[in-house]
Amino acid sequence: MNNPQPEFDVVVVGGGPAGMAAAARAAECGLKVGLIDDNPALGGQIWRSSLAGQTDRECLTWTQRIQAAGVRVLCGKVFQQPQPGVLLAEGSDHLYELRYRELVLATGARERFLPFPGWTLPNVIGAGGLQAMVKAGLPVNGKQIVVAGSGPLLLAVAAYLRKHGAQIAMICEQASWTRLAGFGFALLRQPDKIVQGMRLKRELAGIPFSLNCWPVAASGTGALESVTISRNGRVENIRCDYLACGFHLVPNIELALLVGCEIRNGYVQTDAYQRTTAAHVYCAGEPTGIGGIELAVIEGQIAGLVTRKRESEARKLFARRERLRGFARALDRTFDLRPELRELAAPETIVCRCEDVRYSCLRQHSSWREAKLQTRCGMGPCQGRVCGPATNFLLGWNSESVRPPLFPARVESLASASSAAQLPD
Amino acid sequence: MSEHLTVTVNGAEIAVPAGTTVAVAIMLAGQSCRTSVSGEPRGPLCGMGICYECRAAIDRVPHCRSCQIVCSPGMEIRTDE
């Protein structure tokens, strides 16, 4: 029988690379560790397993370490912190009340979506989103797919889809040659990344790859039939079954905000030991800056070690972290969004998909807060996770405010939440 | 060959490989997931449980995030209510 009120030395939220590394290192130091994730399988988004099971060797290694060290892995989504030291999470059929001394946030990132005419049509899907669907059983054999947006994820996704039989009509990257050349230079200092890049290049051979290129409209009756792209200033139409589209990544900082961590330039602030500004709260991986798997694993290990006061051991990882952070900074520079993308949304384009709020309605308001109150933008079930980053880019609005529950939760969970808030420590 | 199981989408039976998510079953059945407040059909967007675009009724429980739920034998999936 599962104890719904487990007590841990360390609770790690997020079962991707950073969270797995943090949980394993902390538990290997002898701490009682709980790891919670919304997904039933470990690995997070980047190591998401397919129907065939988990195949990534690094993920399997961390999974073994987690099991060997006795980490308790829980499936549920954290939606509230009724008091410091307690988190509430909703599992499939019950509520967890997780008690902790130290908390590691490893909540990862999501894709940034930008509105353009037709982006709400079925089969216009995130780039990582489509990959996740294929891993979840969607066959793409023989399907025509345009992969568009920005960031290194586009290349990985295109290679994955092609391996599964898809015809990649084109990869459209909004970044320019100049930006990408600068990125190539930064790669020279990252031998591992060059090897990965070369492997990808082989897997992508023959696929048209366009820079200065982005989708301007998607069209179809009932579902996607074709996409119009802008390529080096000219407009072209491509027939396709799927448009896999994401504009790089944005960090999941909602839980960090809820527990009172300071955010700077959109990322959770941490010191050299991955400690946030909130007492006993650490953060590792993408929420501290979009940097990829290797950086996430290093930061996670540092956080895990420091929860057991193993600072000297953690310091041995600092040099490698610095090098990887250089790569992260290069990512930010390279895949920074060009201003032309702000022109993509037409007045009638829906920006908030939950509440169908159109761009023309939003532009009548001067802030996220005002727009929320007047138009219900960001008030739907995604709670602004999609339209928040979009309005941040389009209108410069700051959507960094959260209130519990962080996700739509069941009524009985919320009822238990209010009683948990009154529990003695 | 992977093992298959049968679910219904809006009353029509469809066989899917074990491990398939409900969102994928809905796509395989040629259906959209939900209808937006202004009447547009919507399908999955993020694929990871964040956007809520793939909501559907599963075994009479409304508003389930279908991309986060794996099909089980005999599951009744509805996108038309």
Side-chain angles (χ1 to χ4, degrees), chain A residues 185-206:
Chain A
F185 186 71
L187 274 180
L188 292 179
R189 282 175 241 134
Q190 311 277 345
D192 305 358
K193 304 274 182 193
I194 292 176
V195 175
Q196 283 168 21
M198 279 163 44
R199 194 181 309 141
L200 261 184
K201 202 174 159 196
R202 235 187 358 259
E203 290 171 0
L204 294 170

Side-chain angles (χ1 to χ4, degrees), chain B residues 14 17-18 21 23 25 30 38 42-43 45 50 54 64 70 74-75 78 81:
Chain B
I14 181 168
T21 59
S38 66
R42 294 283 168 78
L45 175 69
I50 279 181
C54 67
C64 298
V70 171
M75 206 176 233
R78 295 218 79 100
E81 345 187 277

Side-chain angles (χ1 to χ4, degrees), chain A residues 38-39 45 48 51 77 109 120 122-123 125-126 129 132-133 136-139 350 353 355-356 358 381-382 385 407-408, chain B residues 17-21 23-24 27-28 34 36-38 40-48 50-53 55 65 68:
Chain A
D38 190 15
N39 289 280
Q45 298 308 322
R48 178 184 279 269
L51 297 198
K77 51 184 187 196
T120 54
N123 299 343
I125 187 166
M133 299 298 286
L138 182 72
I350 286 172
R353 300 171 63 119
E355 298 287 340
D356 285 0
R358 293 169 202 275
C382 96
R385 284 176 175 83
F407 286 96
Chain B
T20 300
T21 59
V24 169
M27 288 173 86
L28 289 173
R34 71 178 190 105
S36 78
V37 295
S38 66
E40 290 187 355
R42 294 283 168 78
L45 175 69
C46 77
M48 55 192 268
I50 279 181
C51 73
Y52 285 75
E53 285 287 44
R55 275 173 290 157
R65 292 177 301 167
Q68 296 296 94

